Amino acid sequence: MNNKWLDPIYKTLAASELGAGHTSGVVPTRETQDYFGVSEKNETQLLKEIDVEFWSGETHESIKTNVMFYVSDTHHGQIHITGNLMPTYLRYGAQLGDIIVFWKSVDKDTLFKVELIKPGSDRWDQIDASDDFPRRGGFLKLNPPDTN
């Protein structure tokens, strides 16, 4: 399938996103939450189910997961990508400080490529050398895996 992709966003993994605490997936930075969808109501809800082509190095698999909008005493309107994403990246050895990069399809709002990038890899070096790489997360220029 020939698909066009939006510029990616990335998130440096925090301890809570690896199962320590209450988070069960990735919490995008405040600046990048709109990338996944916007809630029209200020209440906890499923925003959408997404199809993810998950990559780690040369290995990839397809998964389905959820984009949730949470409102509670501890969550003030946060987006979480939950469900099958966390067990998948943990199976590939995700650790504190690794980077998760998301590319959203231009053609299909529920299709994403996601890549786990580890320190010392060529992809890490490519991101680290970029002027677009604040440590917390945000937008950057990087082509998705398997699209060259």
Side-chain angles (χ1 to χ4, degrees):
M1 170 164 128
N2 287 337
N3 201 343
K4 295 181 180 155
W5 303 93
L6 296 176
D7 284 343
I9 63 165
Y10 73 93
K11 175 73 167 83
T12 303
L13 288 174
S16 63
E17 295 164 317
L18 294 167
H22 58 275
T23 302
S24 61
V26 172
V27 181
T29 64
R30 183 167 282 118
E31 298 79 15
T32 62
Q33 287 189 6
D34 287 352
Y35 196 82
F36 297 97
V38 178
S39 174
E40 295 182 16
K41 300 180 273 183
N42 193 28
E43 62 188 45
T44 297
Q45 63 188 285
L46 172 68
L47 291 180
K48 64 177 103 172
E49 294 179 346
I50 60 174
D51 295 307
V52 173
E53 185 180 298
F54 181 87
W55 286 80
S56 179
E58 297 296 317
T59 305
H60 68 280
E61 63 182 89
S62 295
I63 61 171
K64 289 187 179 291
T65 195
N66 299 323
V67 177
M68 298 291 298
F69 181 78
Y70 284 104
V71 177
S72 70
D73 292 342
T74 58
H75 296 86
H76 306 288
Q78 289 182 337
I79 301 281
H80 289 214
I81 296 117
T82 63
N84 297 326
L85 186 59
M86 185 175 80
T88 301
Y89 65 70
L90 287 177
R91 267 198 322 277
Y92 287 92
Q95 298 179 358
L96 183 67
D98 288 354
I99 296 171
I100 295 283
V101 182
F102 293 84
W103 290 266
K104 184 177 184 179
S105 169
V106 170
D107 302 319
K108 187 175 179 191
D109 188 50
T110 58
L111 180 62
F112 288 80
K113 282 194 180 209
V114 176
E115 184 176 11
L116 172 66
I117 299 177
K118 302 190 78 49
S121 68
D122 290 342
R123 295 285 269 180
W124 180 279
D125 293 341
Q126 189 177 355
I127 293 170
D128 200 29
S130 169
D131 293 335
D132 301 331
F133 186 56
R135 296 290 170 207
R136 196 176 126 194
F139 291 86
L140 56 91
K141 298 281 185 192
L142 187 68
N143 290 326
D146 197 37
T147 58
N148 297 332

